[in-house]
Amino acid sequence: MKVTTEYLYFNTKKRQEFVRITDDLAGIVKKSGVTEGLMLVAAMHITAGVFVNDWENGLIHDFQVWLEKLAPAGLEYRHHQTGEDNADAHLKRTIMGREVTLPITNGALDLGPWEQVFYAEFDGQRKKRVVVKVMGE
Amino acid sequence: MKVTTEYLYFNTKKRQEFVRITDDLAGIVKKSGVTEGLMLVAAMHITAGVFVNDWENGLIHDFQVWLEKLAPAGLEYRHHQTGEDNADAHLKRTIMGREVTLPITNGALDLGPWEQVFYAEFDGQRKKRVVVKVMGE
Amino acid sequence: MKVTTEYLYFNTKKRQEFVRITDDLAGIVKKSGVTEGLMLVAAMHITAGVFVNDWENGLIHDFQVWLEKLAPAGLEYRHHQTGEDNADAHLKRTIMGREVTLPITNGALDLGPWEQVFYAEFDGQRKKRVVVKVMGE
């Protein structure tokens, strides 16, 4: 069995930004030499997430409008009494998800035709990290 | 270590439908010969999901009413400018989740007494696929 | 390869309560002897969840207010026609998530500086269980 660990780093220009990482992950599978197994991809920060969905700018816009409706910025969150101003980012990442686990089959990510993996930043403009763990044979 | 891969296929009669798949998954565990390990169950389409909850028709109805409230169909989503009409399905699947990972213990799915696994279709009436990856010994 | 299974038990005083379990999980990693691998942490009850977020009481309060807004108790849910009164707990747990998968690196949980793992109870005051499966080498 092989287990490998990689980290992806992000420092987005905007506070909220979705970054496609499918190709980075495909590269990590190749480098790992694993042909059958699982890949965990998880945000290491609690105001960011990882999700799988469509690579279509209109839908990415829709996601962001929708998240703002479900978990608005600028409310009087109790978390802000600590000096923070990002409670909404914690809530938004909860909707989108912290992590995905991807199957590796025949030496490649076993994804459907429209599946793309994204890093979802909700409190960016600073250095953030994603852990990628590959386990298999 | 063993790693096996199976696919489940769906073509639901209704646009939105929840299909119980616990027994299919239990069969895949047996077939795999794995007695201790993990099973990843993931939708391969971005308008469908996989989740664990109660096998009770009233609650399934409640879930669907609730999802319609949180992520309504028929709004003027920007995604629809591409000719699509299913932005709500992408959002609904995000709430319910793309995937679950299930423990395998003593040769069977290690689920609580009320845990049932469902395929959640939000844009059906066409062929869709779920990947099931078993890894363990 | 090693695979180990542990269960955590909860019986919360309040109906809704978030319990930090990071240290319990760190202990399970040590006990398992696994230095590189994955840990699945999953609620075995469908009115409870497991999530990763901030250990800050203000934010925990914000989460609970937010969940009450997105999935209110006391509505006329169809699930309640069975005699149950906890449909909101099923919905709330769906938002927060059933499970997390954590990476194990160099013999410890590979978590970001602010990541804390919580058990999220939405229908407590009774005995509940979480399964913890460690797989690796």
Side-chain angles (χ1 to χ4, degrees):
Chain A
M1 188 178 65
K2 288 173 189 165
V3 190
T4 71
T5 313
E6 301 272 348
Y7 302 92
L8 301 175
Y9 295 88
F10 302 87
N11 194 336
T12 61
K13 282 185 189 153
K14 286 182 280 182
R15 184 167 185 263
Q16 185 165 319
E17 205 171 315
F18 293 176
V19 183
R20 195 176 70 93
I21 57 173
T22 320
D23 299 340
D24 304 270
L25 300 176
I28 291 174
V29 173
K30 276 226 171 119
K31 191 178 157 195
S32 75
V34 169
T35 55
E36 293 292 326
L38 297 174
M39 171 186 268
L40 171 68
V41 188
M44 301 187 81
H45 298 260
I46 52 191
T47 52
V50 175
F51 71 95
V52 170
N53 219 297
D54 203 358
W55 187 21
E56 197 279 297
N57 283 334
L59 187 70
I60 288 173
H61 172 85
D62 293 329
F63 263 114
Q64 299 196 340
V65 169
W66 178 64
L67 289 167
E68 199 54 45
K69 205 173 69 182
L70 290 189
L75 299 189
E76 295 212 359
Y77 293 106
R78 195 169 291 182
H79 184 48
H80 296 176
Q81 295 179 8
T82 64
E84 293 286 355
D85 63 355
N86 61 3
D88 69 299
H90 293 271
L91 306 181
K92 286 174 172 119
R93 102 78 177 255
T94 302
I95 298 276
M96 296 309 289
R98 167 188 177 261
E99 70 193 39
V100 295
T101 302
L102 307 173
I104 299 169
T105 307
N106 294 327
L109 290 177
D110 194 354
L111 297 174
W114 303 103
E115 284 192 292
Q116 296 281 347
V117 191
F118 290 88
Y119 171 70
E121 178 62 82
F122 297 108
D123 190 23
Q125 301 167 318
R126 64 184 87 179
K127 203 174 177 190
K128 298 276 193 92
R129 202 158 56 125
V130 161
V131 58
V132 184
K133 199 97 191 180
V134 175
M135 190 159 92
E137 55 183 19
Chain B
M1 189 178 66
K2 289 174 188 167
V3 190
T4 71
T5 314
E6 300 272 347
Y7 302 93
L8 301 176
Y9 294 88
F10 302 88
N11 194 336
T12 60
K13 282 185 187 150
K14 286 181 279 184
R15 183 167 186 265
Q16 185 165 320
E17 206 171 314
F18 293 175
V19 183
R20 194 177 71 92
I21 57 173
T22 320
D23 299 340
D24 304 89
L25 300 176
I28 291 174
V29 174
K30 276 227 171 118
K31 191 177 156 194
S32 74
V34 169
T35 55
E36 291 293 326
L38 297 174
M39 170 185 268
L40 171 69
V41 188
M44 301 187 79
H45 298 260
I46 52 191
T47 52
V50 175
F51 71 96
V52 170
N53 219 297
D54 202 357
W55 187 20
E56 197 279 297
N57 283 335
L59 188 71
I60 288 172
H61 172 85
D62 294 328
F63 263 113
Q64 300 196 339
V65 169
W66 179 63
L67 289 167
E68 200 54 45
K69 206 174 68 181
L70 289 189
L75 298 189
E76 296 212 357
Y77 292 107
R78 194 170 290 183
H79 184 48
H80 296 177
Q81 295 178 8
T82 65
E84 292 286 354
D85 64 354
N86 60 3
D88 70 299
H90 293 271
L91 306 182
K92 285 174 172 119
R93 102 79 176 253
T94 302
I95 298 276
M96 296 309 289
R98 167 189 179 260
E99 70 195 38
V100 295
T101 302
L102 307 174
I104 299 169
T105 307
N106 294 327
L109 291 176
D110 194 354
L111 297 174
W114 304 102
E115 285 193 292
Q116 295 282 346
V117 191
F118 290 87
Y119 171 71
E121 178 62 82
F122 297 107
D123 189 24
Q125 301 167 319
R126 66 184 85 181
K127 203 175 177 188
K128 298 277 193 91
R129 202 156 58 124
V130 161
V131 58
V132 184
K133 199 98 190 177
V134 175
M135 191 158 91
E137 54 183 20
Chain C
M1 189 177 65
K2 288 173 189 166
V3 191
T4 71
T5 313
E6 300 273 348
Y7 302 93
L8 301 176
Y9 295 88
F10 302 88
N11 194 335
T12 61
K13 282 185 188 152
K14 286 182 278 181
R15 183 167 185 265
Q16 184 166 320
E17 206 171 315
F18 293 176
V19 183
R20 196 176 70 93
I21 57 173
T22 319
D23 299 340
D24 304 270
L25 300 176
I28 291 174
V29 173
K30 276 225 172 123
K31 191 178 156 194
S32 74
V34 169
T35 55
E36 292 292 327
L38 297 174
M39 170 185 267
L40 171 69
V41 188
M44 301 186 80
H45 297 260
I46 53 191
T47 52
V50 175
F51 72 96
V52 170
N53 219 298
D54 202 358
W55 186 21
E56 196 279 298
N57 283 334
L59 188 69
I60 288 172
H61 172 84
D62 294 329
F63 263 114
Q64 300 197 338
V65 169
W66 179 63
L67 289 167
E68 199 55 45
K69 206 173 66 181
L70 290 189
L75 298 189
E76 295 211 358
Y77 292 107
R78 195 170 291 183
H79 184 49
H80 296 176
Q81 295 178 9
T82 65
E84 292 286 355
D85 64 355
N86 61 2
D88 70 298
H90 293 271
L91 305 181
K92 286 175 172 116
R93 103 78 175 251
T94 301
I95 297 277
M96 296 309 290
R98 166 189 178 261
E99 71 195 37
V100 295
T101 302
L102 307 174
I104 300 168
T105 307
N106 293 327
L109 291 176
D110 194 355
L111 298 174
W114 303 102
E115 286 193 292
Q116 295 282 346
V117 191
F118 291 88
Y119 171 71
E121 178 62 81
F122 296 107
D123 189 23
Q125 300 166 320
R126 64 184 87 179
K127 205 176 176 189
K128 299 276 193 90
R129 202 158 56 124
V130 160
V131 57
V132 184
K133 198 99 191 176
V134 175
M135 190 157 93
E137 56 184 18

